[in-house]
Amino acid sequence: MSNHTTVAAGSATTTPSVATGRLPLAALLALATAVFVTSLTETLPAGVLPAMSADLGVGEAAAGQAVTVYALGTALTAVPLAARTADWRRKRLLLTSVAGFAAANTVTAVSSSYALTMGARFLAGVAAGVAWALLAGYARRLAPPHLQGRAVAVAMTGIPLALSLGVPAGTFLGAAVGWRAAFTAMTVIAAALLGWIALAVPDLPGESRGGRAPVARTLKVPGVLPVLAVTFALVLAHTVLYTYVAAYLGHLGLGGSTGLVLLVFGAASLAGIWITGRYIDRRLRALTLAGTVLVAVGAAALAVPAGSTALVLVAAALWGLGWGGAPTLLQTAVADAGGDAADTAQTMLVSLWNAAMAAGGLAGGLLLDGLGAGALPWSVLLLLVPVVAVVTGARSHGFPARRASS
């Protein structure tokens, strides 16, 4: 079914793209679509929240927990499931994950029970944990060594595409024909993706049983802990503001511009991931620092109580430009630092990423209720200080000035 050639035992596999030194674009775009499905499934409730909450007979705050439950499903299960499926062949595992999304979104689309809907969202989060622990490593192994960072960047384009196109499209579809249609569309996309993966993505072996490094040992690998610390703080900072950006824009008197602001943010994220893909194999450290600074400058511009739409759009563009490459940069950094323990390190990053998202939603809500919307961008600036400090200090391991040859 797949066009790969195994050349050695274990996980060593050479695909035609590795042999020719080219990127396997059809396979990588299938992986990018899987990333799109995971990202859009996670964020879609935010775009259809009023209708979803009314249909399920709960308040918007309760319906909003559909995002939190998804993140918890990923955070709680990514590490143990990755360990249990380490020896599965990669295509089989990816197909299983995408099938999980199809099932979860189908249940969400037809459920009239709040409890059942939350259960389906948790299942979707579990499927995401499997996918996220797999996708970056899969993309790297499909590409020749000198293009592995670019391969991850191609796969990660699904994130800004979901934010810039998927959420607005899902919101429009939900408004036009109902929120359930948006989740049904996600099922259709997942079903089509199953066929694409089966036809276009080369298979690769998993690890031998016992081959996955334990978590405690992986944390001791130089560079892994700094990357994980940066991941938690950076994702927490982003999520605190992104989750409540509509509330903050309302605070500025610009609530009617929320769609436009998110569109600008998403488009700038696409530019950010393009730049990252172009330079990551030579400038990972510089890109990480530059991205963090851009997010900080964007947050600072949002903190200015000018109420100017133009200024807010510039701030959103800077924020998106800085954030767009973050998933690729951090996945690549932790894989580089992890070495032989890269798969375990990436799984830990996935769990920590989603724990930070859940914590960001909670922390942002507490800030909103306790100090008001004006505190949100300032909290971002505060959280980014240790990010800059850790990236700057992890010069030898974690975020080295020059990446070692893969």
Side-chain angles (χ1 to χ4, degrees):
M1 185 179 294
S2 59
N3 55 346
H4 77 282
T5 305
T6 302
V7 296
S11 62
T13 299
T14 298
T15 66
S17 296
V18 173
T20 60
R22 298 177 180 176
L23 286 179
L25 283 178
L28 291 175
L29 290 175
L31 298 188
T33 305
V35 171
F36 176 87
V37 169
T38 64
S39 300
L40 186 52
T41 298
E42 180 170 31
T43 55
L44 186 56
V48 296
L49 202 58
M52 188 176 181
S53 64
D55 209 5
L56 294 175
V58 298
E60 288 191 20
Q65 298 311 302
V67 177
T68 302
V69 166
Y70 180 106
L72 286 175
T74 302
L76 294 175
T77 63
V79 171
L81 277 180
R84 285 184 173 274
T85 58
D87 61 342
W88 287 31
R89 295 195 68 85
R90 300 296 89 180
K91 180 183 281 192
R92 175 191 173 196
L93 189 56
L94 181 57
L95 288 170
T96 301
S97 171
V98 175
F101 280 108
N105 283 320
T106 299
V107 173
T108 303
V110 302
S111 170
S112 58
S113 162
Y114 177 73
L116 180 59
T117 300
M118 292 299 107
R121 293 293 297 170
F122 186 85
L123 172 62
V126 172
V130 173
W132 279 115
L134 164 74
L135 285 164
Y138 207 162
R140 284 168 64 92
R141 290 172 64 189
L142 289 174
H146 67 289
L147 294 176
Q148 287 182 345
R150 191 170 298 179
V152 176
V154 172
M156 291 300 128
T157 54
I159 298 174
L161 282 173
L163 296 176
S164 61
L165 300 178
V167 174
T171 303
F172 174 80
L173 184 62
V177 292
W179 68 272
R180 296 181 186 279
F183 282 96
T184 301
M186 292 301 301
T187 296
V188 173
I189 293 172
L193 178 58
L194 288 170
W196 187 358
I197 293 169
L199 292 172
V201 179
D203 195 9
L204 292 172
E207 304 169 359
S208 60
R209 287 194 177 272
R212 180 173 284 264
V215 169
R217 193 178 83 199
T218 302
L219 285 172
K220 296 178 182 178
V221 176
V224 169
L225 199 55
V227 177
L228 294 179
V230 165
T231 297
F232 186 83
L234 186 58
V235 175
L236 180 62
H238 165 78
T239 307
V240 162
L241 185 55
Y242 187 84
T243 303
Y244 298 98
V245 67
Y248 185 71
L249 292 174
H251 163 74
L252 295 179
L254 300 172
S257 301
T258 300
L260 178 60
V261 170
L262 290 178
L263 182 64
V264 169
F265 172 86
S269 294
L270 283 173
I273 201 167
W274 181 84
I275 294 169
T276 297
R278 186 171 179 84
Y279 297 107
I280 187 173
D281 290 305
R282 301 189 304 276
R283 298 285 185 266
L284 186 146
R285 175 187 176 82
L287 287 169
T288 306
L289 285 170
T292 304
V293 170
L294 283 171
V295 173
V297 173
L302 283 174
V304 176
S308 164
T309 302
L311 179 61
V312 168
L313 292 177
V314 170
L318 293 172
W319 178 15
L321 189 63
W323 176 254
T328 301
L329 291 166
L330 295 170
Q331 289 265 18
T332 301
V334 84
D336 286 351
D340 292 339
D343 284 348
T344 300
Q346 286 186 329
T347 305
M348 293 165 64
L349 183 141
V350 168
S351 291
L352 202 61
W353 185 292
N354 283 274
M357 288 186 65
L362 177 61
L366 292 173
L367 282 170
L368 194 63
D369 289 341
L371 299 176
L376 295 173
W378 294 108
S379 69
V380 173
L381 292 171
L382 185 63
L383 287 165
L384 292 181
V385 171
V387 173
V388 173
V390 173
V391 175
T392 302
R395 181 178 296 275
S396 299
H397 301 284
F399 299 94
R402 287 188 176 275
R403 289 184 64 209
S405 302
S406 300

